Structures are given as structure tokens and as C-alpha cells.
Amino acid sequence: MEKTKTDKQKPAYGMASNCAFMIRRAWRDARSVLVICAGLILCAVAASLLELFVTPMILDAVGRGVPPRELAALIAWFALGLVCVYSFQAYLNANTLFGRCYVRRMLAVDQNLLECRTAYPHIEDPDYLKRLAKTGRVLSTNREAGEAVWDTLTDLASNLVSFTIYLLLLSQAGPAISLLTAALAAAGYFAGERIRSWRYRHREEEGKLHHSLNYILRRSQDTKLAKDIRIFGLGPWLLQLYDKYTQMFEDFCVKAQRRYLWADLLDVGLALLRNGAAYGWLIALALRGELSPAQFVLYFSAVGGFAQWVTGIFQNLGTLHRQSLDLSALREYLETPEPFRFEDGAPLAVKRGHLYAIELRDVSYRYPGADHDTLSHVNLTIRPGEKLAVVGRNGAGKTTLIKLLCGLLDPTEGSVLLDGEDIRQYNRRDYYKLFSAVFQQFAPLPGTVAENVAQSEDVDLPRMWDCLERAGVADQVRALPQGENTHLGRQLYLDGVELSGGQMQRLMLARALYKNGPVVVLDEPTAALDPIAESQLYQKYNDLTRDATSVYISHRLASTRFCDRVLLIENGGIAEEGTHDSLLEQGGRYACLFDIQRKYYQEGAMDHE
């Protein structure tokens, strides 16, 4: 049955459901977690009972005149029992971390796989990103709900079992003492819990302060910003910001501690009232001769323990409720519905040598939360083998158009067709295999140059070098310390190198050529290149895109002369289309923009001369 959140604050799953979920995960991933939890429960109950009965039984034995040898044996048995219980408990505690960490790690693996493999629209959805950030905290440390819930469940079960035993024991002294102790313990808990939960109720405020502090720290330590920090003297300003948010966080903690102090004082007052009433009742029974010394000590000890179990149960339930909210958020994230079809879609095999036709039929797209369409009722057919250029101002919708063509987004209206078939029916990952792309923001991995080009450890070296040559970066790779085996980036490798923007862009072009997809997409491939390198790339454009359909985005209109057709995107649609020369002859918007750019470059050249 599908779970939906009808209210922002209402979780999709309750405590019982979340506990059952974690138990099922432990049963599947690490059954030792459940075995150790059961062992810890038994140890906690056994230790409590041994501590409760040791003094009364010794007093009873003394009162009955038991011989010293038997008395010593009784004490020895109790001591041995406590040693065995505490030793076994220590052993379980020492080994409990492994299974619990493994369960949390497997949940994190599921979360990370979903994050890495989820449909692209989620990456641009603010609501999805908020859910992702929240679930990341759930599994971040062993103090968070993804692992700490086992401590809560163990303590809750121990308290419930001990509460039942103590309730049966105290009922022999009369129901009044049990009811009085339980009522005052519950009153103390609920009165103090409202105060203690202040920090939890203000967790969003605390989270924002943590985020601000961490953001300032990350930026201060970012080596890419080191030059700006030094040149513009940003160090004192960053320190001032850090001090400001540190002081705000300290003020927040002081507010919380003041409330905790009042909660503790309330606890002390109610504990005095509870214990005074219960002890007075027991003393009265003892004075009337209704209790033996051993029984008095037994019930006297049980009163404190009984109140402890009652308070512990309520505390565990409160903690479990908060952890359940986090676990519910995690489960909702793991069950996020995908807008695309993946394994359940129709398979799509790449036909080598086949040139595909891609059509946008009456396509509109509106980003989540936007009040108007970025693209509106666009009709476009890219013919097999065609070289298409897409131009327009920033924000006109060029990149959105490319994302729709590549299947990274689905239109809010209309459809995208591949050889006449709607792409929504296919396994979207199979559809992605059709495209070799270089986007404005690329993702080199901290591996070797060869691995980045091949996107694999199994590298076809002759093919790789051919792609590096065609992309114009082979000589730079040969000059690296270890050639194609040189590591990129210093995040993982101390011997890693940092390529320039132009070199990295050419390397990403080589990566696209190595994939050899039947559709080539180049989104501003010359943005980081110097004019000479840009001119060389234009001259090689036909070679780079041979035997492929290609789509080329550029702000530099002079580059479009190498393409079969040019589209000018404006006001959410195709304003003009044709060849570079035909659009200039029309004297429309494209010609006007080209003329502005030409004058700019001519003036720049004259100034330079």
C-alpha cells in the first residue's frame, strides 16, 4: 500500500512499524544484533534482581541464625552471580558494535546507491535534497537513530521486564504503594520531559547554526579559495563570521542548559515526595509488625528501582518516538518513487553505425516551483547525422533543451521520441548509452588519466590515445609525471596533479570520444579554451563528430558556421532556425546578436593592437 504524507509533520510510519523494519534489517544483514540485544536484556534484568535480593536474603539468613559457613557460601554465590552477569554483559557490550555498524552501513549503502542512481530530476528538486540531507544525519554516526535505536530498544525491553517483576513484588505490600510510586514517577517524567525536549523542538534552529559553522569552516579550508582569501584579506572577516555564529551557538546551549537545570530541580522535588511517601508507608507497616527486617529492606530497595523503571520506560518511549521520526524519514527516502523507468523499462540496445533521429513533439517544461515554463510547446526534429547548433542568451532554455534531448528530464507536456518511439518506455540507463556528452560542469574522478577517459580500469590504450589526440590533449598527457597513469586531483592521492580548465575540458572531450555514442552533445566545449585552441577545435569539429548526430551549444555565434542548422532559443521557444549564413541574410535577431559580438571582438582586437 502506498504511503503518503498528508501533513508535513506527520510521519508515514509509526514506532511499531519502524521497530519492525529495523528488526527485519538486522535479521537479514546481521542477526548477531538481535542475539546480543536479547543477551543484554537478560543481563540487565538478572543484575537488577541479584542486586535487589542480595541484602534482604543475607539479612534473612542472619535473622534465622544460619551458620557462618552457609552465610559465607550464600554471599559467595551472589558475588559469583554478579561477576558472571557483569562479565557476560561486558563481553556483549564489547561485541555489539560490529553488527550494529554493519546494519547501519548497509542502510547507508542503500541510501548512497539511491542517491547515485536516482533519476536526474530529483537532483534539482529542493524537497528531495532536503529529505536527502535529513536521512544523511540519521546514518551519520552511531549516536543517531540508525544505530542508537538498538540501545533504546534494549533499554526499553529491560525496563519493561524489570517493571513487571517489581510490580508483582510491590503488590505484595499493597497496591497503594505501587500506584503511588508509579503515578509520581510518571508525573515527574512528563513534567520534566516538556522542559528537556526544548532542544529537540528547536532542532531546526540548532541545525541552521551547525550548518553555518560548518559552511564557514569548509570555505576557510577550501584550497581553491586560498588565493582569494589572501589577496582580498578575507581571513579576518571569516574569523569574525565564525566568532559570531560560535557565540550564537553558545547562547543556544546556555538556554538549553538553563531549562535542563529547572527540569533536574523538578525531578529532585518529586523524587523526595515520591520516596518520602513510599518509605513512610513501609515504615508504618514495619512498626505494626507486618514486615520483617528482610522484607522491609527488600521493599525499600524495590521502591527506588520501581520508580526508576517507570521513568526509564517513559524516557525510552520518548527517545524511541524521536528516533522513529528519523527512521520514518529514512524509509520514506529509500522508497522515493522514481519518475523514470529503469530495470522495468524496455531494453534499448545501441546499434553501432546506426544514426538516430530524435524528435521533440509539442514539448513544454516547467521546473518545480517555477511560475512559468522554461520551454513552451517546442517542436524539433534532429535528423540522423545532423550537426545542430543551439544558441541564445543565458537563461533562454538551451541547457534545459539538451537535458530533455538526453533524457535527463521528462517534459511536463509533450514527448521526446527516438526513431518515432517515446523514450519513456525504455530503460532510461539504456537510453543514456546513446549519448557522448561534454557538459559545462563535468565530473573527473580521482583516478588516473586513463581511467577518466575510459571510465573503467579496463582501458583500450590505442583507442584512448587516439581520443586524446583528436581532443588535442595528448601532448599534455605525455608530459605528465606518469603519463596516462598520472592521478588526477589531490583528494585521494598525494601525487595527484591539478589540470588547468582548458586541459580538463579537452580531457572530458576525449572521454566523450572514447564512449563513441551515436549522439554527441557538446555544451560550451570551448568555454575554458584560449582563442587559438578554440579555433583549432572548430576546425576539427567535423572530425570529432563524424558518423554521429551532434548537438552543439555555444554563446559564440561564429562557431555555428560549422553546423548544418542553427536554432536561436528565446522566450521559451525556437525564435529562428537555419544555417549560419541564411540567418545572417535574414537580418533578424540572430544577425543582430552576431553583429554585436563581431563589433565587440573587433574593438577588443583594435584595443589590443
Side-chain angles (χ1 to χ4, degrees):
M1 186 169 114
E2 186 179 355
K3 304 286 183 182
T4 59
K5 288 183 73 173
T6 59
D7 185 87
K8 185 178 179 180
Q9 301 298 326
K10 186 177 180 180
Y13 301 97
M15 283 196 296
S17 176
N18 289 324
C19 291
F21 168 76
M22 291 300 294
I23 291 171
R24 288 195 300 270
R25 290 301 301 245
W27 183 260
R28 189 191 77 177
D29 297 330
R31 297 182 183 180
S32 63
V33 172
L34 304 178
V35 174
I36 290 177
C37 283
L40 289 171
I41 293 169
L42 292 175
C43 287
V45 174
S48 174
L49 293 177
L50 285 172
E51 291 174 351
L52 176 64
F53 281 99
V54 58
T55 302
M57 291 191 70
I58 291 173
L59 284 177
D60 182 65
V62 172
R64 290 187 289 106
V66 172
R69 180 175 295 179
E70 293 183 16
L71 184 61
L74 178 64
I75 296 173
W77 278 112
F78 269 105
L80 179 61
L82 286 170
V83 168
C84 292
V85 169
Y86 286 137
S87 298
F88 188 52
Q89 190 177 46
Y91 172 79
L92 293 176
N93 282 324
N95 289 276
T96 189
L97 192 63
F98 306 106
R100 296 181 183 185
C101 282
Y102 186 76
V103 173
R104 176 165 63 92
R105 185 167 74 93
M106 295 310 295
L107 285 170
V109 167
D110 289 348
Q111 178 204 6
N112 291 335
L113 284 176
L114 175 59
E115 181 183 356
C116 293
R117 303 177 67 183
T118 192
Y120 183 82
H122 284 154
I123 300 173
E124 297 186 341
D125 183 358
D127 291 334
Y128 173 86
L129 296 176
K130 288 179 182 178
R131 293 199 304 274
L132 174 60
K134 187 172 182 179
T135 56
R137 293 194 299 269
V138 175
L139 302 173
S140 59
T141 69
N142 53 20
R143 296 187 300 273
E144 300 295 338
E147 186 174 333
V149 68
W150 298 113
D151 285 330
T152 305
L153 290 174
T154 302
D155 292 343
L156 178 60
S158 302
N159 288 333
L160 285 171
V161 173
S162 298
F163 168 80
T164 304
I165 295 172
Y166 276 54
L167 179 63
L168 294 173
L169 179 63
L170 284 177
S171 63
Q172 298 178 15
I177 191 171
S178 301
L179 292 174
L180 178 64
T181 304
L184 290 175
Y189 168 76
F190 286 113
E193 179 62 16
R194 177 66 184 173
I195 301 174
R196 290 192 182 90
S197 62
W198 181 87
R199 190 162 191 163
Y200 182 78
R201 296 196 305 273
H202 292 78
R203 62 190 181 280
E204 295 295 335
E205 178 184 350
E206 184 178 13
K208 290 179 181 177
L209 292 173
H210 271 297
H211 176 77
S212 299
L213 285 170
N214 290 333
Y215 178 80
I216 295 170
L217 280 175
R218 288 196 307 271
R219 290 304 181 191
S220 301
Q221 297 167 356
D222 191 342
T223 56
K224 294 180 180 178
L225 302 179
K227 296 189 296 294
D228 294 310
I229 291 174
R230 285 159 177 77
I231 292 296
F232 292 99
L234 299 179
W237 178 63
L238 288 171
L239 286 173
Q240 183 181 4
L241 280 178
Y242 185 77
D243 290 341
K244 171 186 173 182
Y245 283 101
T246 300
Q247 185 61 51
M248 292 171 64
F249 184 69
E250 289 177 356
D251 293 341
F252 177 88
C253 292
V254 169
K255 291 179 183 178
Q257 293 303 321
R258 286 174 180 169
R259 285 162 174 80
Y260 295 158
L261 176 61
W262 283 109
D264 291 341
L265 292 175
L266 182 62
D267 275 348
V268 170
L270 289 174
L272 288 174
L273 179 61
R274 178 189 67 228
N275 294 337
Y279 296 158
W281 179 278
L282 291 175
I283 291 171
L285 291 177
L287 292 175
R288 291 201 301 267
E290 297 180 21
L291 294 179
S292 66
Q295 289 176 317
F296 176 81
V297 172
L298 176 63
Y299 294 141
F300 191 89
S301 301
V303 166
F306 184 72
Q308 175 186 339
W309 307 135
V310 172
T311 303
I313 289 171
F314 285 119
Q315 287 177 343
N316 294 147
L317 288 174
T319 302
L320 187 60
H321 172 69
R322 291 190 289 269
Q323 292 172 342
S324 178
L325 294 176
D326 290 338
L327 292 174
S328 182
L330 172 64
R331 294 177 67 187
E332 290 174 59
Y333 174 77
L334 293 176
E335 296 168 8
T336 300
E338 292 290 354
F340 298 162
R341 302 182 71 177
F342 291 111
E343 283 71 18
D344 60 334
L348 177 63
V350 178
K351 302 175 184 177
R352 293 300 174 189
H354 175 73
L355 296 178
Y356 294 85
I358 303 176
E359 179 185 357
L360 272 65
R361 183 175 295 175
D362 196 30
V363 164
S364 298
Y365 186 79
R366 179 176 299 188
Y367 284 95
D371 57 1
H372 66 279
D373 291 338
T374 301
L375 294 174
S376 180
H377 302 288
V378 173
N379 289 283
L380 169 66
T381 298
I382 303 176
R383 296 180 288 273
E386 183 179 18
K387 293 175 175 54
L388 181 72
V390 181
V391 299
R393 290 185 173 184
N394 289 334
K398 303 186 300 299
T399 299
T400 301
L401 178 67
I402 293 301
K403 290 177 180 177
L404 290 166
L405 288 173
C406 294
L408 296 173
L409 299 175
D410 272 348
T412 49
E413 292 182 45
S415 55
V416 179
L417 308 177
L418 178 71
D419 284 347
E421 298 292 333
D422 195 320
I423 68 170
R424 281 175 285 208
Q425 66 181 297
Y426 296 121
N427 181 332
R428 194 58 61 97
R429 294 191 182 96
D430 287 348
Y431 183 73
Y432 294 153
K433 295 176 183 177
L434 299 176
F435 295 88
S436 291
V438 179
F439 296 109
Q440 293 183 51
Q441 295 179 340
F442 34 79
L445 300 176
T448 66
V449 171
E451 291 169 347
N452 269 274
V453 173
Q455 294 293 282
S456 169
E457 294 182 351
D458 184 16
V459 183
D460 183 340
L461 288 177
R463 177 179 168 189
M464 181 207 69
W465 281 110
D466 176 64
C467 293
L468 291 174
E469 290 283 358
R470 292 169 63 194
V473 74
D475 290 340
Q476 290 93 324
V477 172
R478 292 190 184 95
L480 293 174
Q482 299 179 44
E484 75 275 11
N485 295 316
T486 301
H487 291 118
L488 295 181
R490 297 191 177 95
Q491 294 88 344
L492 293 181
Y493 303 102
L494 295 177
D495 63 345
V497 300
E498 299 285 351
L499 299 182
S500 68
Q503 291 172 335
M504 185 60 72
Q505 198 162 36
R506 284 180 175 275
L507 189 68
M508 294 299 100
L509 179 59
R511 181 174 72 175
L513 295 173
Y514 188 94
K515 183 179 180 182
N516 194 29
V519 182
V520 177
V521 176
L522 304 176
D523 188 355
E524 291 288 344
T526 62
L529 301 182
D530 59 74
I532 296 177
E534 180 184 18
S535 176
Q536 292 173 346
L537 182 64
Y538 291 157
Q539 294 171 12
K540 297 173 63 176
Y541 181 70
N542 286 328
D543 175 62
L544 294 173
T545 58
R546 67 172 182 257
D547 301 326
T549 303
S550 65
V551 182
Y552 176 74
I553 295 180
S554 177
H555 284 95
R556 300 169 186 174
L557 304 188
S559 63
T560 61
R561 63 169 59 95
F562 301 97
C563 298
D564 301 323
R565 184 165 46 134
V566 180
L567 303 181
L568 174 65
I569 306 296
E570 274 192 350
N571 301 319
I574 300 174
E576 298 178 7
E577 66 176 300
T579 64
H580 172 75
D581 293 334
S582 67
L583 290 175
L584 291 181
E585 290 176 3
Q586 290 178 18
R589 183 64 178 159
Y590 180 88
C592 179
L593 293 174
F594 181 79
D595 189 55
I596 292 173
Q597 285 193 2
R598 179 174 57 187
K599 289 181 179 179
Y600 172 78
Y601 286 122
Q602 288 176 342
E603 290 173 359
M606 292 175 63
D607 291 342
H608 179 70
E609 291 175 1

